[in-house]
Amino acid sequence: MIKQEQFLEVKHLTLQYKTNGFLVTATCDVNFSVKEGERLILLGPSGCGKSTILKAIGGFIKPSYGSILLNAQEIKKPGSDRSFVFQEFDQLLPWKSALENIVFAIRSTRKVTKEEAQSEARKLLKKVNLQKFADSYPHELSGGMKQRVAIARCLALKSKVILMDEPFASLDALTRQKMQEELLGLWADTRFTLIFVTHSIDEAIILGTRIIMFSSHPGEVIEELDVDLSVLGSEYTALKERISDILFRNRMDYVI
Ligand SMILES: Nc1ncnc2c1ncn2[C@@H]1O[C@H](COP(=O)(O)OP(=O)(O)O)[C@@H](O)[C@H]1O
Ligand SMILES: [Mg+2]
């Protein structure tokens, strides 16, 4: 049996982009591991390589140095064991309704009848409070609603690992808070392993069971913290200050 700590391992990960003959180092010698069922937050300033790390875990970018192991197998390409929710609101197929977007995801990964897929998709839309919008098309939905469909579609894939790249960053504060609560509810239902990228300290504390903090470009891990919101209470502010101190120490212009 695989030890919990070894569920997902990022080892000496350096990620680089080659553009017009120039080499841009996005992250440098990054190491961390993720336990199964954990909600891990990658927190750091813009440009520190958070999205690049997530894409590498997704299998879309190959390491220049180092490796990423999932269940002791090196990640070399995208796979059904990992699914992605992006920051952008335009990740749905615009010519398909909310329901059809989810049905399409289900049927492209599993052999089920159209009726079975539709019934499953309806249940998922209910979970994200969109049952009334099953037949709406993406252009008829607000940003928050589209992100809800994207999350439902991601859950439909039943991947063990869910990768989210600032999915709530462009939402208004109230919708964002609601979506965070919903996400925690969905996680409590199925206990997927969540790797969530954000540059918001509040979001990191609310959503994470553990936070990994990165220095500014090129991103290196500067600190790891365990979080337990249920016992935090009045310590919330202290924790928030501690995190912003750590980030400030590494980048003077960090915006909270
Ligand atoms: N497609 C790309 N080509 C070249 N450089 C890139 C590309 N994507 C990102 N970068 C660079 O890599 C670094 C990390 O980017 P990114 O992972 O998007 O950071 P973050 O998500 O933390 O804001 C930045 O310096 C960025 O300019
Ligand atoms: Mg990013």
Side-chain angles (χ1 to χ4, degrees):
M1 201 173 128
I2 289 168
K3 269 209 257 155
Q4 260 218 326
E5 292 80 59
Q6 291 168 351
F7 179 61
L8 193 139
E9 281 184 290
V10 172
K11 291 178 167 180
H12 302 293
L13 185 66
T14 295
L15 297 166
Q16 294 171 320
Y17 293 100
K18 285 189 190 89
T19 39
N20 302 327
F22 288 100
L23 204 59
V24 179
T25 300
T27 68
C28 191
D29 196 21
V30 167
N31 293 282
F32 61 86
S33 58
V34 188
K35 297 187 192 98
E36 196 161 10
E38 191 170 26
R39 303 191 307 270
L40 182 81
I41 308 290
L42 307 182
L43 174 70
S46 273
C48 75
K50 305 180 295 296
S51 296
T52 308
I53 293 174
L54 214 61
K55 283 177 195 156
I57 297 172
F60 302 111
I61 295 177
K62 287 202 167 59
S64 304
Y65 303 97
S67 57
I68 309 172
L69 306 179
L70 179 59
N71 273 329
Q73 299 288 314
E74 193 165 347
I75 290 177
K76 293 193 167 149
K77 54 180 193 304
S80 60
D81 45 8
R82 286 150 285 146
S83 56
F84 229 110
V85 178
F86 298 93
Q87 177 174 356
E88 296 78 20
F89 291 161
D90 58 1
Q91 57 197 293
L92 303 173
L93 300 171
W95 60 89
K96 286 187 184 290
S97 68
L99 187 85
E100 287 164 353
N101 260 284
I102 301 170
V103 167
F104 181 77
I106 294 174
R107 297 197 77 200
S108 52
T109 47
R110 279 179 279 142
K111 279 205 168 91
V112 289
T113 65
K114 197 170 177 187
E115 289 68 30
E116 283 167 338
Q118 281 176 341
S119 143
E120 204 177 318
R122 279 188 202 285
K123 278 186 203 147
L124 283 165
L125 279 175
K126 192 159 183 241
K127 276 196 179 174
V128 294
N129 287 316
L130 277 183
Q131 59 272 37
K132 289 185 190 142
F133 295 88
D135 300 323
S136 302
Y137 285 84
H139 74 272
E140 299 170 309
L141 302 171
S142 70
M145 287 163 146
K146 280 191 265 199
Q147 283 311 65
R148 283 192 168 93
V149 179
I151 290 170
R153 183 180 63 174
C154 188
L155 293 173
L157 299 172
K158 298 197 169 155
S159 304
K160 282 193 161 174
V161 182
I162 293 189
L163 306 166
M164 294 194 173
D165 191 1
E166 309 211 35
F168 311 144
S170 321
L171 300 173
D172 62 90
L174 221 61
T175 311
R176 186 174 185 158
Q177 194 188 334
K178 201 156 190 316
M179 302 276 292
Q180 289 166 349
E181 284 164 14
E182 277 177 17
L183 178 61
L184 288 174
L186 293 168
W187 177 86
D189 263 9
T190 34
R191 302 273 165 154
F192 45 82
T193 303
L194 177 67
I195 306 181
F196 189 104
V197 161
T198 185
H199 64 262
S200 154
I201 297 173
D202 279 315
E203 187 160 76
I205 298 173
I206 291 163
L207 290 181
T209 50
R210 197 151 58 88
I211 302 174
I212 295 188
M213 279 171 261
F214 291 88
S215 65
S216 52
H217 176 84
E220 291 176 56
V221 175
I222 47 175
E223 185 119 5
E224 277 188 47
L225 276 179
D226 287 317
V227 188
D228 186 351
L229 195 57
S230 60
V231 296
L232 262 179
S234 59
E235 288 162 38
Y236 186 100
T237 318
L239 181 64
K240 190 174 167 179
E241 269 168 24
R242 189 169 157 210
I243 293 174
S244 50
D245 277 355
I246 294 166
L247 291 167
F248 264 112
R249 243 186 280 137
N250 286 277
R251 180 182 153 142
M252 294 311 290
D253 57 342
Y254 196 82
V255 183
I256 297 170

